[in-house]
Amino acid sequence: MYRDLEHRLAQHIREFLRSSYGVDLEKIVIEQPRVELGEYAMPLAFELAKKLRKAPRKIAEEIVSDIGSIDGFAKLEVAGAGYINARVDRTALAVALAKNDKPAVESSSGKVLVEHSSINPNKAAHIGHLRNAILGDTFVRLLQFAGRTVDVQNYIDNTGVQVADVVVGFLHLDKKSRAQIEELAGKPRFDYYCWDLYAKVSQWYEQSAENKKVRLQTLHEIEEGRNETAAVAELISTAVLRRHLETMDRLDIEYDFLPRESEILHLHFWDAAFEKLKEAGVLSFETEGKNKGCWVMRRAGTSGVARAPSPAGNEAETGAISSTVDQDPERVSEEDQKVIVRSNGTVGYVGKDIAFHMWKFGLLGRDFGYRKFYSYPNGHQCWISAEHGEPEHPHFGDVERTYNVIDARQSEAQNAVIEALRGLGHGEYADKLTHFSYEMVALTPRCAAELGYELSEDDKGRAYIEVSGRRGFGVKADDLLDALIAAAKQEVNSRHPELAESERQKISEQIAIGALRYFMLKYTKPSVIAFDFKDALSFEGETGPYAQYAVVRASNIFRKGGLDPNAFCRDVASNVSAEELTKFLGDNDLWELWLSASKTAYIIDQCIATTEPAYLAKHVFQLAQLFNTFYHRYPILSEADESRKRFLLATAAVVRRELTRALGVMGIQVPPVM
C-alpha cells in the first residue's frame, strides 16, 4: 500500500511538471521524513530551480497550490527552503491495510532463474554454504512474493578438482574398491567421512610433486568419463549431493533442477559454445608466451575485443585443437588474457560456465536430459541433468533473467561470462545476468572455542577466525544446526515443561532455524559475518527470536482475551470501523506503527531492485521494536473504552500479520510459544 501510494504520487508529480512547466523528470526523488512531517518528502524544487530560474520555495509553493487533489493523499505542504511534504489520508490507508488489500502489481511475464548453493559435492556443507543458500532461497521468496515465476537451480560441479581430490583419497590413500566406497556411501553422514578425507588428501599432496600428478591424472579421467575413475566420482558426488539436499531441506530450502557439469561436457554443450565463441571472435589461439597452445579471451574490464578466425577442421567433434591460426593484428597482451581452454585441450571452469549460461538464455541450441532425483516431504520434485532422461519433464532454461548467488571471490569469472555474452552479440542477455555476490562467513573466537577448536592467544584476540575446508577447520552445516537446536531446546524445556516432547522439539527447531536465517540475512552482502551462537539465539536485539517473540506476544493478547488470533487477523476490517481508525490515528506514535506495517511490499521491491535482503531483516526488526513499545505502553485487554480497545486489537492484528508475512519471506516460521 505504501509502495502504491508512492508510485501514484510520483506519477502525478511527473505529469504535472510536464503539463505546467514542460519539464520531464525521469526520476522523482522521494524521501521518508519523520512521521510528524508527513509520509513522503520531495526535494524536487531544488532540482528544478536552475531550469526554471526561480527560488526552490517559490516553485514548491506553485506546485502545492496548483497540482490539485491526489487520490489517497490528504494534502501537500511546503517545508523549509523548498521541500514538498505529502501527507496521506491516514484513514484510507489504514482501512486498506485492515482489509489486507493487495493492489495489482505489474510483473514481467518472463521466467527468472536463481542459481544458488552450488556446493562442490565432495564433502559436507559448511557454514559458508549456508549463507549462500539462505541468501538465494530468500531472494527466490522475494521474487515469488512480487509475482515472478522462478526456477531454482543448484549447479553441481561433479567433474572438478575438489571431487577429484576425494576420489584420490578413496583410491590412493584409503585403497578402497568401488564396492567398498558404495557401502560407505550408503551409511549416515557419508559427507562427514569425505570431509576428513579431503583434509588428508590436501596434506598428502604437500608431501611430494608425484602425489600432485595423481590429482591431474584423476581429473583428466573424470572429465573424459566412461571409465572406472569417473564411475567412482559419480558414486561419491551423487551420494554427497543427496546429503546436501537433506541438509538444506532442514532449512526449508528446495531446488527445482540440478544441472551437472558432467552433462555439460558429455552432451557437448561446450563444443557447441566453443564453435560459437570462435566464430564470433571472442576467443583467440595463443602461439607463443606463457599461454602458448591455449584458447584465451580478453579479461573483463580491459579495452578491446580479442578476435581471431577459428582454425579449419572438426575439432568440436574430435576434441583436437589446431594450432594453425591467423592472428588478429590487435593481439591480447598476456596480462589481459583469460585462459578458457588449456594447452592440453581441457576446458576450464569459465568455459563450461559460458556454455551453461548460453543454455540458460536459450542461445545454445542444445538441452539436457532430465530425470527425477529427490522428492521433498511436501511432494515437490527436484530434477537432475542426465545424458538420457525421462520423456516427460518440466521445461527448464529459456529464462528472461538470471541471478547467480556466488561469493565475491568469483567476480572475475562471472564478469568473463558476461563479457563473453556481449562478444557473442547478446548484450541484452549480458545485462540480465546479475552476479549476486556476498562475502565470507567466519567464526567469533568464542564460537570456535565452543565448537572445540584449539585457539592460540593471537586467535583469541582476533575479530573472527576464518574457516578452511582443506585444513578441515570449519563448521559443518548439520553440526551448526544441531548445536543451535540443542541450545534452543534447553530454553524451551525450561519455559514450557508442560508441552509434549515432540512439540518442544518442533518449537526448538523453528527458533534455531529462525535464528540462523535471520543472522545470515541481517548483514549486508559485502559484510564479512563472524558467526556467534549466543548472539544469534538471543531473544533481545536484532535477532530472529526477537522478531518471532513479537508475533508470539501479539498472539497471546488475543488468546488471553478469548479470541482466535488467526481468525481475527484474517478479517481485521470487520473488527474496527473507519470512524474508530480516524479517531485514534491522530496519535503519531500509533500511526507510525500502522505506517510501518504498510511498507512490506515497498521494502520487498527495494530488496529485489538492490539484490539486498538485509533491508527486509531491518524492516522486520524495526517493526518488532515498534510493536514491543506499543505492547508495553498500551494495556489492551484492560482498556475500559471498548472502541479504543477494538482499535488497539486491530493494531496488534495488522502488525502480527505483516510481521508473520515478512518473516515468511525470510523463510522463518513463528512458533506458537517461546
Side-chain angles (χ1 to χ4, degrees), residues 59-94:
I59 296 170
E61 288 171 347
E62 290 176 357
I63 293 172
V64 169
S65 171
D66 299 340
I67 196 168
S69 63
I70 305 174
D71 186 32
F73 286 83
K75 60 179 176 178
L76 303 186
E77 299 172 337
V78 179
Y83 264 86
I84 299 175
N85 290 344
R87 295 185 182 274
V88 303
D89 181 333
R90 292 186 176 186
T91 301
L93 177 56

mmCIF file of all heavy atoms in Angstrom, residues 59-94:
data_model
loop_
_atom_site.group_PDB
_atom_site.id
_atom_site.type_symbol
_atom_site.label_atom_id
_atom_site.label_comp_id
_atom_site.label_asym_id
_atom_site.label_seq_id
_atom_site.Cartn_x
_atom_site.Cartn_y
_atom_site.Cartn_z
ATOM 1 N N ILE A 59 8.921 27.627 -6.303
ATOM 2 C CA ILE A 59 8.486 26.503 -7.148
ATOM 3 C C ILE A 59 7.621 25.550 -6.335
ATOM 4 O O ILE A 59 6.560 25.094 -6.788
ATOM 5 C CB ILE A 59 9.710 25.762 -7.727
ATOM 6 C CG1 ILE A 59 10.502 26.686 -8.651
ATOM 7 C CG2 ILE A 59 9.279 24.496 -8.464
ATOM 8 C CD1 ILE A 59 11.847 26.124 -9.073
ATOM 9 N N ALA A 60 8.063 25.241 -5.113
ATOM 10 C CA ALA A 60 7.310 24.323 -4.256
ATOM 11 C C ALA A 60 5.919 24.876 -3.970
ATOM 12 O O ALA A 60 4.920 24.137 -3.989
ATOM 13 C CB ALA A 60 8.068 24.085 -2.955
ATOM 14 N N GLU A 61 5.829 26.169 -3.708
ATOM 15 C CA GLU A 61 4.530 26.792 -3.428
ATOM 16 C C GLU A 61 3.610 26.702 -4.640
ATOM 17 O O GLU A 61 2.403 26.446 -4.507
ATOM 18 C CB GLU A 61 4.732 28.252 -3.018
ATOM 19 C CG GLU A 61 5.341 28.411 -1.629
ATOM 20 C CD GLU A 61 5.739 29.849 -1.324
ATOM 21 O OE1 GLU A 61 5.777 30.671 -2.281
ATOM 22 O OE2 GLU A 61 6.035 30.150 -0.145
ATOM 23 N N GLU A 62 4.165 26.913 -5.846
ATOM 24 C CA GLU A 62 3.354 26.824 -7.066
ATOM 25 C C GLU A 62 2.818 25.400 -7.261
ATOM 26 O O GLU A 62 1.648 25.209 -7.610
ATOM 27 C CB GLU A 62 4.191 27.237 -8.279
ATOM 28 C CG GLU A 62 4.528 28.720 -8.320
ATOM 29 C CD GLU A 62 5.445 29.079 -9.480
ATOM 30 O OE1 GLU A 62 5.856 28.156 -10.227
ATOM 31 O OE2 GLU A 62 5.741 30.271 -9.641
ATOM 32 N N ILE A 63 3.681 24.430 -7.037
ATOM 33 C CA ILE A 63 3.264 23.032 -7.221
ATOM 34 C C ILE A 63 2.159 22.678 -6.236
ATOM 35 O O ILE A 63 1.119 22.112 -6.612
ATOM 36 C CB ILE A 63 4.471 22.083 -7.059
ATOM 37 C CG1 ILE A 63 5.470 22.294 -8.203
ATOM 38 C CG2 ILE A 63 4.014 20.626 -7.014
ATOM 39 C CD1 ILE A 63 6.781 21.548 -8.029
ATOM 40 N N VAL A 64 2.351 23.015 -4.971
ATOM 41 C CA VAL A 64 1.364 22.687 -3.938
ATOM 42 C C VAL A 64 0.039 23.392 -4.211
ATOM 43 O O VAL A 64 -1.046 22.820 -4.025
ATOM 44 C CB VAL A 64 1.911 23.061 -2.544
ATOM 45 C CG1 VAL A 64 0.808 22.993 -1.494
ATOM 46 C CG2 VAL A 64 3.063 22.138 -2.165
ATOM 47 N N SER A 65 0.115 24.622 -4.698
ATOM 48 C CA SER A 65 -1.093 25.410 -4.952
ATOM 49 C C SER A 65 -1.886 24.895 -6.149
ATOM 50 O O SER A 65 -3.124 24.890 -6.128
ATOM 51 C CB SER A 65 -0.704 26.872 -5.180
ATOM 52 O OG SER A 65 -1.806 27.633 -5.621
ATOM 53 N N ASP A 66 -1.181 24.440 -7.189
ATOM 54 C CA ASP A 66 -1.852 24.172 -8.462
ATOM 55 C C ASP A 66 -2.064 22.695 -8.794
ATOM 56 O O ASP A 66 -2.801 22.379 -9.729
ATOM 57 C CB ASP A 66 -1.049 24.810 -9.608
ATOM 58 C CG ASP A 66 -0.950 26.329 -9.463
ATOM 59 O OD1 ASP A 66 -1.780 26.905 -8.733
ATOM 60 O OD2 ASP A 66 -0.035 26.912 -10.074
ATOM 61 N N ILE A 67 -1.434 21.794 -8.078
ATOM 62 C CA ILE A 67 -1.458 20.391 -8.505
ATOM 63 C C ILE A 67 -2.812 19.729 -8.294
ATOM 64 O O ILE A 67 -3.164 18.762 -8.969
ATOM 65 C CB ILE A 67 -0.346 19.591 -7.788
ATOM 66 C CG1 ILE A 67 -0.116 18.258 -8.513
ATOM 67 C CG2 ILE A 67 -0.679 19.358 -6.317
ATOM 68 C CD1 ILE A 67 1.131 17.519 -8.074
ATOM 69 N N GLY A 68 -3.603 20.227 -7.377
ATOM 70 C CA GLY A 68 -4.915 19.633 -7.142
ATOM 71 C C GLY A 68 -4.836 18.412 -6.239
ATOM 72 O O GLY A 68 -3.782 18.078 -5.693
ATOM 73 N N SER A 69 -5.956 17.724 -6.113
ATOM 74 C CA SER A 69 -6.019 16.576 -5.199
ATOM 75 C C SER A 69 -5.397 15.337 -5.841
ATOM 76 O O SER A 69 -5.407 15.176 -7.059
ATOM 77 C CB SER A 69 -7.466 16.286 -4.814
ATOM 78 O OG SER A 69 -8.210 15.926 -5.965
ATOM 79 N N ILE A 70 -4.854 14.485 -4.990
ATOM 80 C CA ILE A 70 -4.282 13.206 -5.421
ATOM 81 C C ILE A 70 -4.960 12.125 -4.599
ATOM 82 O O ILE A 70 -4.968 12.184 -3.365
ATOM 83 C CB ILE A 70 -2.752 13.168 -5.200
ATOM 84 C CG1 ILE A 70 -2.071 14.349 -5.906
ATOM 85 C CG2 ILE A 70 -2.176 11.846 -5.696
ATOM 86 C CD1 ILE A 70 -0.577 14.454 -5.609
ATOM 87 N N ASP A 71 -5.527 11.153 -5.277
ATOM 88 C CA ASP A 71 -6.256 10.087 -4.592
ATOM 89 C C ASP A 71 -5.360 9.406 -3.555
ATOM 90 O O ASP A 71 -4.242 8.990 -3.860
ATOM 91 C CB ASP A 71 -6.739 9.061 -5.618
ATOM 92 C CG ASP A 71 -7.639 8.008 -4.992
ATOM 93 O OD1 ASP A 71 -8.361 8.342 -4.035
ATOM 94 O OD2 ASP A 71 -7.597 6.851 -5.459
ATOM 95 N N GLY A 72 -5.865 9.299 -2.324
ATOM 96 C CA GLY A 72 -5.116 8.653 -1.256
ATOM 97 C C GLY A 72 -4.305 9.609 -0.410
ATOM 98 O O GLY A 72 -3.715 9.192 0.590
ATOM 99 N N PHE A 73 -4.277 10.894 -0.800
ATOM 100 C CA PHE A 73 -3.486 11.882 -0.063
ATOM 101 C C PHE A 73 -4.400 12.957 0.530
ATOM 102 O O PHE A 73 -5.364 13.393 -0.109
ATOM 103 C CB PHE A 73 -2.446 12.533 -0.974
ATOM 104 C CG PHE A 73 -1.297 11.615 -1.295
ATOM 105 C CD1 PHE A 73 -1.405 10.689 -2.324
ATOM 106 C CD2 PHE A 73 -0.130 11.647 -0.550
ATOM 107 C CE1 PHE A 73 -0.373 9.818 -2.613
ATOM 108 C CE2 PHE A 73 0.913 10.783 -0.831
ATOM 109 C CZ PHE A 73 0.797 9.860 -1.865
ATOM 110 N N ALA A 74 -4.077 13.367 1.746
ATOM 111 C CA ALA A 74 -4.847 14.420 2.407
ATOM 112 C C ALA A 74 -4.419 15.792 1.908
ATOM 113 O O ALA A 74 -5.266 16.644 1.603
ATOM 114 C CB ALA A 74 -4.671 14.330 3.922
ATOM 115 N N LYS A 75 -3.104 16.017 1.796
ATOM 116 C CA LYS A 75 -2.621 17.314 1.318
ATOM 117 C C LYS A 75 -1.119 17.275 1.100
ATOM 118 O O LYS A 75 -0.416 16.381 1.583
ATOM 119 C CB LYS A 75 -2.961 18.418 2.317
ATOM 120 C CG LYS A 75 -2.358 18.231 3.702
ATOM 121 C CD LYS A 75 -2.744 19.394 4.616
ATOM 122 C CE LYS A 75 -2.225 19.182 6.036
ATOM 123 N NZ LYS A 75 -2.553 20.314 6.924
ATOM 124 N N LEU A 76 -0.636 18.283 0.348
ATOM 125 C CA LEU A 76 0.791 18.540 0.191
ATOM 126 C C LEU A 76 1.111 19.838 0.921
ATOM 127 O O LEU A 76 0.292 20.763 0.954
ATOM 128 C CB LEU A 76 1.179 18.667 -1.284
ATOM 129 C CG LEU A 76 0.849 17.504 -2.224
ATOM 130 C CD1 LEU A 76 1.453 17.764 -3.608
ATOM 131 C CD2 LEU A 76 1.361 16.189 -1.683
ATOM 132 N N GLU A 77 2.320 19.927 1.473
ATOM 133 C CA GLU A 77 2.733 21.111 2.224
ATOM 134 C C GLU A 77 4.139 21.512 1.819
ATOM 135 O O GLU A 77 4.968 20.653 1.484
ATOM 136 C CB GLU A 77 2.732 20.827 3.732
ATOM 137 C CG GLU A 77 1.387 20.435 4.308
ATOM 138 C CD GLU A 77 1.498 19.991 5.759
ATOM 139 O OE1 GLU A 77 2.608 19.580 6.181
ATOM 140 O OE2 GLU A 77 0.473 20.045 6.463
ATOM 141 N N VAL A 78 4.406 22.812 1.864
ATOM 142 C CA VAL A 78 5.760 23.319 1.638
ATOM 143 C C VAL A 78 6.477 23.349 2.979
ATOM 144 O O VAL A 78 5.920 23.776 3.991
ATOM 145 C CB VAL A 78 5.730 24.731 1.022
ATOM 146 C CG1 VAL A 78 7.152 25.247 0.815
ATOM 147 C CG2 VAL A 78 4.966 24.719 -0.295
ATOM 148 N N ALA A 79 7.729 22.899 2.969
ATOM 149 C CA ALA A 79 8.510 22.873 4.209
ATOM 150 C C ALA A 79 9.900 23.432 3.947
ATOM 151 O O ALA A 79 10.495 23.186 2.889
ATOM 152 C CB ALA A 79 8.613 21.447 4.746
ATOM 153 N N GLY A 80 10.406 24.203 4.908
ATOM 154 C CA GLY A 80 11.770 24.710 4.829
ATOM 155 C C GLY A 80 11.993 25.571 3.602
ATOM 156 O O GLY A 80 11.145 26.367 3.197
ATOM 157 N N ALA A 81 13.149 25.372 2.964
ATOM 158 C CA ALA A 81 13.546 26.218 1.832
ATOM 159 C C ALA A 81 12.960 25.751 0.509
ATOM 160 O O ALA A 81 13.224 26.360 -0.527
ATOM 161 C CB ALA A 81 15.069 26.247 1.730
ATOM 162 N N GLY A 82 12.166 24.671 0.527
ATOM 163 C CA GLY A 82 11.576 24.247 -0.735
ATOM 164 C C GLY A 82 11.195 22.780 -0.812
ATOM 165 O O GLY A 82 10.881 22.270 -1.887
ATOM 166 N N TYR A 83 11.220 22.094 0.307
ATOM 167 C CA TYR A 83 10.747 20.706 0.314
ATOM 168 C C TYR A 83 9.233 20.682 0.145
ATOM 169 O O TYR A 83 8.533 21.606 0.571
ATOM 170 C CB TYR A 83 11.107 20.021 1.633
ATOM 171 C CG TYR A 83 12.379 19.204 1.574
ATOM 172 C CD1 TYR A 83 13.621 19.800 1.793
ATOM 173 C CD2 TYR A 83 12.333 17.845 1.284
ATOM 174 C CE1 TYR A 83 14.787 19.051 1.733
ATOM 175 C CE2 TYR A 83 13.490 17.089 1.229
ATOM 176 C CZ TYR A 83 14.716 17.695 1.447
ATOM 177 O OH TYR A 83 15.855 16.953 1.380
ATOM 178 N N ILE A 84 8.728 19.614 -0.459
ATOM 179 C CA ILE A 84 7.288 19.370 -0.509
ATOM 180 C C ILE A 84 7.019 18.095 0.277
ATOM 181 O O ILE A 84 7.523 17.021 -0.072
ATOM 182 C CB ILE A 84 6.784 19.208 -1.957
ATOM 183 C CG1 ILE A 84 7.039 20.487 -2.754
ATOM 184 C CG2 ILE A 84 5.296 18.849 -1.960
ATOM 185 C CD1 ILE A 84 6.693 20.366 -4.223
ATOM 186 N N ASN A 85 6.264 18.222 1.354
ATOM 187 C CA ASN A 85 5.888 17.064 2.162
ATOM 188 C C ASN A 85 4.481 16.624 1.786
ATOM 189 O O ASN A 85 3.581 17.461 1.625
ATOM 190 C CB ASN A 85 5.939 17.396 3.652
ATOM 191 C CG ASN A 85 7.364 17.594 4.147
ATOM 192 O OD1 ASN A 85 8.315 17.204 3.476
ATOM 193 N ND2 ASN A 85 7.511 18.202 5.310
ATOM 194 N N ALA A 86 4.304 15.326 1.641
ATOM 195 C CA ALA A 86 2.993 14.777 1.284
ATOM 196 C C ALA A 86 2.437 13.996 2.463
ATOM 197 O O ALA A 86 3.121 13.148 3.035
ATOM 198 C CB ALA A 86 3.122 13.869 0.066
ATOM 199 N N ARG A 87 1.193 14.319 2.812
ATOM 200 C CA ARG A 87 0.510 13.610 3.902
ATOM 201 C C ARG A 87 -0.578 12.726 3.300
ATOM 202 O O ARG A 87 -1.425 13.202 2.540
ATOM 203 C CB ARG A 87 -0.109 14.606 4.889
ATOM 204 C CG ARG A 87 0.919 15.447 5.635
ATOM 205 C CD ARG A 87 0.254 16.325 6.683
ATOM 206 N NE ARG A 87 1.215 17.169 7.373
ATOM 207 C CZ ARG A 87 1.925 16.796 8.442
ATOM 208 N NH1 ARG A 87 1.758 15.581 8.944
ATOM 209 N NH2 ARG A 87 2.771 17.632 9.012
ATOM 210 N N VAL A 88 -0.542 11.450 3.645
ATOM 211 C CA VAL A 88 -1.543 10.531 3.105
ATOM 212 C C VAL A 88 -2.845 10.671 3.883
ATOM 213 O O VAL A 88 -2.887 11.243 4.980
ATOM 214 C CB VAL A 88 -1.060 9.067 3.174
ATOM 215 C CG1 VAL A 88 0.262 8.892 2.445
ATOM 216 C CG2 VAL A 88 -0.964 8.574 4.606
ATOM 217 N N ASP A 89 -3.897 10.138 3.308
ATOM 218 C CA ASP A 89 -5.173 10.008 4.013
ATOM 219 C C ASP A 89 -5.016 8.817 4.960
ATOM 220 O O ASP A 89 -5.056 7.660 4.543
ATOM 221 C CB ASP A 89 -6.289 9.760 2.994
ATOM 222 C CG ASP A 89 -7.666 9.632 3.627
ATOM 223 O OD1 ASP A 89 -7.746 9.225 4.805
ATOM 224 O OD2 ASP A 89 -8.662 9.905 2.937
ATOM 225 N N ARG A 90 -4.792 9.095 6.227
ATOM 226 C CA ARG A 90 -4.476 8.036 7.187
ATOM 227 C C ARG A 90 -5.584 6.993 7.270
ATOM 228 O O ARG A 90 -5.316 5.785 7.315
ATOM 229 C CB ARG A 90 -4.208 8.637 8.570
ATOM 230 C CG ARG A 90 -2.928 9.457 8.645
ATOM 231 C CD ARG A 90 -2.627 9.907 10.075
ATOM 232 N NE ARG A 90 -1.344 10.620 10.149
ATOM 233 C CZ ARG A 90 -0.767 11.020 11.280
ATOM 234 N NH1 ARG A 90 -1.366 10.782 12.448
ATOM 235 N NH2 ARG A 90 0.394 11.651 11.259
ATOM 236 N N THR A 91 -6.809 7.455 7.281
ATOM 237 C CA THR A 91 -7.927 6.511 7.408
ATOM 238 C C THR A 91 -7.997 5.583 6.206
ATOM 239 O O THR A 91 -8.162 4.368 6.348
ATOM 240 C CB THR A 91 -9.256 7.268 7.557
ATOM 241 O OG1 THR A 91 -9.186 8.111 8.712
ATOM 242 C CG2 THR A 91 -10.418 6.296 7.709
ATOM 243 N N ALA A 92 -7.845 6.148 5.007
ATOM 244 C CA ALA A 92 -7.928 5.331 3.790
ATOM 245 C C ALA A 92 -6.824 4.271 3.769
ATOM 246 O O ALA A 92 -7.070 3.106 3.419
ATOM 247 C CB ALA A 92 -7.832 6.223 2.556
ATOM 248 N N LEU A 93 -5.609 4.668 4.142
ATOM 249 C CA LEU A 93 -4.507 3.707 4.155
ATOM 250 C C LEU A 93 -4.747 2.639 5.216
ATOM 251 O O LEU A 93 -4.524 1.442 4.976
ATOM 252 C CB LEU A 93 -3.182 4.429 4.415
ATOM 253 C CG LEU A 93 -1.928 3.541 4.532
ATOM 254 C CD1 LEU A 93 -1.751 2.669 3.299
ATOM 255 C CD2 LEU A 93 -0.687 4.393 4.759
ATOM 256 N N ALA A 94 -5.219 3.050 6.400
ATOM 257 C CA ALA A 94 -5.459 2.088 7.479
ATOM 258 C C ALA A 94 -6.577 1.116 7.125
ATOM 259 O O ALA A 94 -6.492 -0.081 7.429
ATOM 260 C CB ALA A 94 -5.784 2.831 8.772
#
